[in-house]
Amino acid sequence: MSEVNAGAAHAGAKVGSDFDLVIVGAGFAGMYMLHRARGQGLSARVFEAGSGVGGTWYWNRYPGARCDVESMQYSYQFSEELSQEWEWSERYSPQPEILTYANHVADRFDLRSDIQFDTTVAAAHFNDDTGRWDIETGDGGQWSAQFVVMATGCLSSANMPKFEGLDSFRGDTYHTGHWPHEDVDFTGKRVGVIGTGSSAIQSIPIMAEQATQLTVFQRTPNYMVPAHNAPMDQAYAAEVKSDYGALRERARVRPGGIDIEIDLAPALEASDQERRQRYEEKWAYGGFGFMGAYGDLMLNEEANDTAAEFVRGKIRDVVDDPAVADLLSPHNTFGCKRLCVDSNYWQTYNRDNVSLVDVSEKPIERITSAGLSVDGQEFEFDAIVFATGFDAMTGTLLRIDIQGIGGQKLADKWAEGPKTYLGLSIAGFPNMFTVTGPGSPSVLTNMLPSIEQHVDWISDCLDYMRRNGHARITSESQAEEDWVEHVRDTAGLSLRSECSSWYVGANIPGKPRVFMPYMGGYPAYLEKCAEVVENGYQGFALS
Ligand code: N01
């Protein structure tokens, strides 16, 4: 490991500085990685494309953006003081509050001095001669580091479909994943929204309250469960804080790393009445806990249908116009695309100023100067909101020119889909780690604990290397292949891998269809990561 270059370890250092560690991204992963690296006496520099910390919460500022994991669970756990002092104001935190939290963490742990903002990483090449990474930033900066940690996030490359005529539109355009920092007011405007995923369902009810007319273009309807958001129950918050460790421990043994009740009993063994009652209870409580109603919802089509039909019934109950209710009703597998957690989404379609256009069979033909056209009909807008999601999990990594040993391009290696060992490391790309990379449970879990687990694993690994005099670590090809196969086999066991979701890259034309996150569950994954370490970094070559 190179000597700490203390003089270079400050933002504003001259081009050509060397670091022990370069971290790409200053979201929750990059910030914690920096904190751990400093604790180990490593010189580290974070490069961040945005002008501030927070990652996904920095960019996704659309109206109504909030976390769909409950506030008491969506926070760092590495500092008990931080956990105790921070107070969340709502059951589900709104984006501005999470961003304030991220900024508080950056200040509290004095992280900013080693974060270089407004800087993209254009290239990272492993230098076979020096055994270090040569890194080029978008501003032409050249840097060298022994280790690189890609803390680039799973949903950080916005997907803007290539609509014909896009540049001809005279009004304003917005992407939910790149929302402006200043307030956007749709009062008195005719607004078109493309997409009905989580970002759309959170923003549509708020935009509908402002716009004169809001028209939603829906390709695939989605299943929702209600959030029932409310001001934080202070008694509950105090109870959690009195033993935060117990909550974290309960979460660790859940498949999604979230403390929710899960009943493993099969849905089909219950009577219709029992099932109805169970679903109503879960519905009344709100949130992802609905998925824990029965153990076989994602394993058995027939069991899944019972939940799907229950939700369709809720749509019929809420939406006044039966034709609109029908259009809003999904008929694919419940929970196959990521479940949305909503606040008044379906109710919004009862408003006179909101309409729904089905583009499942007749897609949007083109964007025009005045709006857009579908099936020969032109819709005129003052603004169009693209709630069209992300090139998930691999998009951001592949936008960087990453080259490993012998100049092998990551884009070539992943031409048929991402291949990693544990979602942490890529064979042929030594001393590079990916936080919540493809092949790890990541997006199927509560992201913050998953991020911390990866960062802790990486930090412990760097410490182990230093103690044992190792300069290089790389995953072995066979270990990687075995893991990729295991990830694929595990995905095949669940109904989740069957539909056309961003989990399988189906939203990006030409992207290979591979179920990217690890479906074996958070506890099994934690066990595997620990076992690899216990066996002397099994599956890794250290030298
Ligand atoms: O993106 P999406 P998102 N013509 O990909 C449609 C996380 N998240 O930003 O389903 C017409 O889900 C597309 O249609 P289809 C969460 O993990 C978390 O909403 O492909 N429509 C779909 O309806 C989430 O899953 C929170 O047929 C087109 C929509 O655009 C992930 O981010 C909040 C189209 C995209 O939906 C992504 O959510 C928000 C086209 N050409 C997001 N192209 C939390 O609360 C795409 N669409 C933590």
Side-chain angles (χ1 to χ4, degrees):
M1 199 167 286
S2 73
E3 286 298 303
V4 173
N5 183 349
H10 298 285
K14 294 281 175 284
V15 164
S17 294
D18 288 351
F19 296 97
D20 291 325
L21 180 63
V22 155
I23 300 161
V24 187
F28 284 121
M31 287 201 292
Y32 181 45
M33 190 69 239
L34 173 61
H35 178 65
R36 285 295 316 259
R38 279 180 174 173
Q40 293 176 287
L42 301 175
S43 64
R45 168 67 59 92
V46 182
F47 293 113
E48 165 56 52
S51 304
V53 298
T56 196
W57 301 107
Y58 173 87
W59 297 106
N60 287 268
R61 296 165 184 249
Y62 58 83
R66 71 174 66 242
C67 189
D68 51 16
V69 173
E70 293 192 24
S71 308
M72 294 311 290
Q73 302 205 45
Y74 192 82
S75 59
Y76 281 125
Q77 43 192 297
F78 69 85
S79 161
E80 183 61 16
E81 295 78 26
L82 175 66
S83 299
Q84 291 297 332
E85 76 199 10
W86 187 261
E87 288 179 7
W88 297 107
S89 67
E90 296 179 54
R91 178 178 174 190
Y92 295 93
S93 299
Q95 172 271 333
E97 193 166 323
I98 303 175
L99 189 59
T100 305
Y101 173 72
N103 278 286
H104 170 73
V105 172
D107 293 335
R108 194 187 193 288
F109 298 97
D110 189 24
L111 300 177
R112 292 180 206 278
S113 57
D114 288 326
I115 304 175
Q116 188 170 317
F117 294 105
D118 303 305
T119 308
T120 54
V121 169
H125 293 176
F126 184 74
N127 186 319
D128 294 322
D129 297 329
T130 61
R132 296 172 62 82
W133 284 91
D134 295 332
I135 289 143
E136 191 180 316
T137 45
D139 55 4
Q142 308 279 340
W143 315 85
S144 163
Q146 186 177 5
F147 296 96
V148 175
V149 173
M150 292 294 178
T152 40
C154 296
L155 295 156
S156 43
S157 280
N159 167 40
M160 186 57 131
K162 292 187 174 42
F163 291 110
E164 211 181 303
L166 188 57
D167 293 338
S168 65
F169 182 58
R170 286 192 308 258
D172 299 321
T173 56
Y174 303 93
H175 192 289
T176 45
H178 270 286
W179 203 260
H181 288 207
E182 54 283 358
D183 275 350
V184 177
D185 186 358
F186 292 117
T187 305
K189 303 237 165 100
R190 298 159 303 166
V191 181
V193 183
I194 302 174
T196 49
S198 296
S199 304
I201 67 100
Q202 287 187 330
S203 53
I204 284 169
I206 316 282
M207 294 190 290
E209 285 171 11
Q210 298 175 346
T212 319
Q213 172 65 34
L214 190 89
T215 309
V216 179
F217 296 88
Q218 170 188 277
R219 192 164 66 181
T220 316
N222 255 320
Y223 292 98
M224 331 262 150
V225 287
H228 299 314
N229 187 38
M232 178 59 73
D233 175 343
Q234 293 307 329
Y236 169 69
E239 186 193 320
V240 169
K241 284 186 176 183
S242 71
D243 190 359
Y244 232 128
L247 173 88
R248 309 294 199 190
E249 204 42 57
R250 289 195 301 274
R252 253 191 289 279
V253 296
R254 299 289 185 222
I258 307 178
D259 179 32
I260 53 171
E261 264 180 51
I262 299 177
D263 194 321
L264 291 177
L268 299 176
E269 280 183 12
S271 68
D272 285 353
Q273 198 191 341
E274 284 165 343
R275 262 199 314 270
R276 171 111 212 146
Q277 193 180 335
R278 170 79 57 88
Y279 288 146
E280 288 289 2
E281 281 164 14
K282 295 283 182 187
W283 195 262
Y285 184 77
F288 286 126
F290 190 90
M291 296 292 288
Y294 291 102
D296 55 351
L297 294 185
M298 294 317 298
L299 300 173
N300 178 319
E301 272 301 349
E302 215 182 320
N304 188 283
D305 277 350
T306 64
E309 184 45 34
F310 176 84
V311 178
R312 285 191 290 266
K314 289 291 181 191
I315 302 175
R316 292 190 291 270
D317 289 350
V318 163
V319 178
D320 296 341
D321 182 339
V324 176
D326 198 35
L327 206 50
L328 287 168
S329 297
H331 288 279
N332 54 6
T333 303
F334 170 77
C336 187
K337 282 177 183 261
R338 188 172 182 281
L339 195 58
C340 300
V341 180
D342 86 297
S343 297
N344 294 321
Y345 175 69
W346 292 316
Q347 291 86 333
T348 300
Y349 291 90
N350 293 334
R351 296 177 64 105
D352 291 338
N353 68 332
V354 176
S355 54
L356 183 64
V357 178
D358 176 16
V359 292
S360 60
E361 294 191 352
K362 301 212 163 109
I364 293 166
E365 283 161 349
R366 56 177 293 119
I367 307 288
T368 63
S369 59
L372 60 81
S373 65
V374 178
D375 195 19
Q377 188 185 350
E378 176 135 14
F379 297 83
E380 294 193 358
F381 299 117
D382 302 303
I384 300 177
V385 173
F386 294 86
T388 45
F390 302 90
D391 183 352
M393 304 206 72
T394 56
T396 308
L397 290 168
L398 293 177
R399 280 183 196 184
I400 303 171
D401 171 19
I402 300 176
Q403 298 184 20
I405 293 173
Q408 183 188 20
K409 289 179 188 294
L410 185 64
D412 291 339
K413 171 158 178 153
W414 283 7
E416 287 166 13
K419 294 188 174 81
T420 70
Y421 183 38
L422 305 174
L424 269 165
S425 162
I426 305 162
F429 296 74
N431 291 1
M432 173 179 279
F433 298 98
T434 48
V435 180
T436 61
S440 72
S442 57
V443 290
L444 302 179
T445 64
N446 184 2
M447 284 303 289
L448 255 171
S450 283
I451 283 170
E452 278 186 279
Q453 185 254 339
H454 265 194
V455 169
D456 287 338
W457 193 98
I458 294 165
S459 302
D460 293 348
C461 173
L462 297 182
D463 190 46
Y464 174 88
M465 289 177 70
R466 175 142 68 178
R467 281 187 284 108
N468 290 279
H470 296 302
R472 184 188 286 203
I473 183 166
T474 180
S475 39
E476 290 165 351
S477 300
Q478 190 58 50
E480 184 178 86
E481 268 174 43
D482 292 347
W483 182 252
V484 169
E485 196 180 319
H486 176 60
V487 170
R488 192 176 46 235
D489 291 349
T490 327
L493 299 174
S494 162
L495 300 173
R496 216 172 214 161
S497 59
E498 290 174 6
C499 63
S500 293
S501 66
W502 58 258
Y503 292 134
V504 297
N507 60 331
I508 305 294
K511 190 163 172 171
R513 190 184 170 101
V514 172
F515 193 88
M516 294 180 284
Y518 175 57
M519 187 105 72
Y522 192 56
Y525 180 77
L526 296 187
E527 211 174 292
K528 173 71 183 173
C529 289
E531 185 188 295
V532 163
V533 174
E534 275 157 28
N535 293 336
Y537 288 90
Q538 186 179 24
F540 288 96
L542 286 145
S543 57

